[in-house]
Amino acid sequence: MSTRRPLISGNWKMNLNHFEAMKLIQELSYQITGDDIELVDVSVHPPFTDIRTVQTVLDSDKIPFFLGAQHCHFEERGAFTGEVAPSMLAKLNVKYVIVGHSERREIFNETDEMVNAKVKAILGAEMTPIVCCGETLEERDAGDAETKVGAQVQAALTGLTAEQVGGLVIAYEPIWAIGTGRTASAEDAQAMCHHVRAGVRGIYGDEAADSVRVQYGGSVKPANANELLTQADIDGALVGGASLSADDFSRIVQYRLL
Ligand code: 13P
């Protein structure tokens, strides 16, 4: 068992307006107890329009979840219509920012270079990136999964110090498992998370590799959370669909009891 503190993150994607967000946070706060938070970190990643509302509810009700975002730009300010700067998120007490999600890479053409620039900008604003990586089904079937994921991680981390890398979260999300109901087997997920950590070890050394947290994401549900989250190199989950249900997400947070 690792000594790294697990991080369970709910990526709401483009779901829930700010009223619905408030309701979900309140439901979660009843179901996730102080005892749970003793053992795991929990972050919620609402759409931008909900972040201020969620921040207010977390603050006023003293709910110990970390606030997260799904995306940001890498520039600090300027003529980038529609974009949000890292410092704007930091000002709202955002702690974790998802970077390089496969939906951003595939639908919005985010490149490895952009992901790397965002990782640096997020760290510069004193927040923690959750750096996503993952292979397509074709890449897995062709035996290229490890190469693809290793290259994505290496590119995303280029130019960081070992200390910075040790504080990161990396989320392994096989693209074929996202929103499909098809989860990687616990063995395959563990093998790839181990591979990611080994890649970090090779470049940044033992201390960074032993402290970087590696999440698994892709159809995580209460039914598979325990098996996935008890693997040696899996330090948490990045949860999509199931994070929209207070029952499901809180049961995932309580995976030890499943
Ligand atoms: P699902 O849990 O809906 O498969 O989504 C995973 C994901 O993309 C989280 O970022």
Side-chain angles (χ1 to χ4, degrees):
M1 282 296 271
S2 85
T3 52
R4 293 174 294 273
R5 199 173 152 78
L7 172 65
I8 314 272
S9 304
N11 176 9
W12 297 1
K13 306 191 179 182
M14 198 172 72
N15 295 290
L16 308 185
N17 63 40
H18 71 289
F19 292 112
E20 294 163 336
M22 200 156 33
K23 181 163 170 281
L24 177 57
I25 290 293
Q26 275 162 345
E27 288 170 356
L28 287 171
S29 75
Y30 296 131
Q31 298 194 33
I32 297 175
T33 66
D35 287 352
D36 299 324
I37 300 292
E38 293 269 303
L39 301 170
V40 296
D41 290 337
V42 173
S43 67
V44 289
H45 299 251
F48 286 140
T49 50
D50 301 355
I51 287 181
R52 175 69 175 144
T53 304
V54 172
Q55 182 212 7
T56 306
V57 178
L58 295 180
D59 272 4
S60 61
D61 293 355
K62 300 197 168 32
I63 300 169
F65 305 159
F66 290 106
L67 186 52
Q70 302 173 18
H71 164 65
C72 66
H73 195 52
F74 48 83
E75 295 287 354
E76 193 39 48
R77 67 182 59 76
F80 302 102
T81 300
E83 291 295 313
V84 167
S87 62
M88 297 171 183
L89 298 173
K91 201 79 181 160
L92 291 166
N93 283 349
V94 167
K95 159 99 174 140
Y96 293 102
V97 186
I98 298 169
V99 199
H101 193 281
S102 59
E103 287 150 18
R104 301 283 334 164
R105 293 179 190 261
E106 293 198 326
I107 306 169
F108 302 102
N109 301 319
E110 278 192 8
T111 63
D112 280 337
E113 291 69 31
M114 291 159 79
V115 172
N116 179 238
K118 288 177 187 208
V119 167
K120 289 174 177 159
I122 293 162
L123 287 169
E126 298 185 351
M127 299 180 293
T128 301
I130 298 180
V131 185
C132 299
C133 56
E135 81 284 0
T136 63
L137 192 54
E138 294 69 44
E139 288 162 341
R140 175 155 286 260
D141 288 345
D144 294 337
E146 290 200 346
T147 309
K148 163 77 179 292
V149 168
Q152 279 182 328
V153 173
Q154 192 172 337
L157 275 43
T158 300
L160 301 194
T161 64
E163 194 185 350
Q164 285 175 319
V165 172
L168 291 181
V169 181
I170 299 174
Y172 167 58
E173 298 203 302
I175 295 169
W176 46 270
I178 295 177
T180 58
R182 187 177 159 188
T183 321
S185 69
E187 293 71 34
D188 285 347
Q190 157 60 24
M192 189 62 90
C193 292
H194 182 79
H195 174 71
V196 166
R197 195 180 308 285
V200 168
R201 194 176 304 282
I203 302 175
Y204 298 95
D206 285 343
E207 212 170 305
D210 291 337
S211 63
V212 66
R213 291 187 286 181
V214 184
Q215 293 178 315
Y216 168 79
S219 297
V220 176
K221 310 279 179 219
N224 56 31
N226 180 279
E227 200 188 0
L228 288 161
L229 290 167
T230 51
Q231 301 297 316
D233 284 289
I234 301 182
D235 308 316
L238 185 53
V239 185
S243 73
L244 300 172
S245 152
D247 278 351
D248 284 353
F249 190 63
S250 46
R251 287 174 67 207
I252 293 169
V253 169
Q254 294 154 353
Y255 66 90
R256 287 179 175 79
L257 309 175
L258 294 169

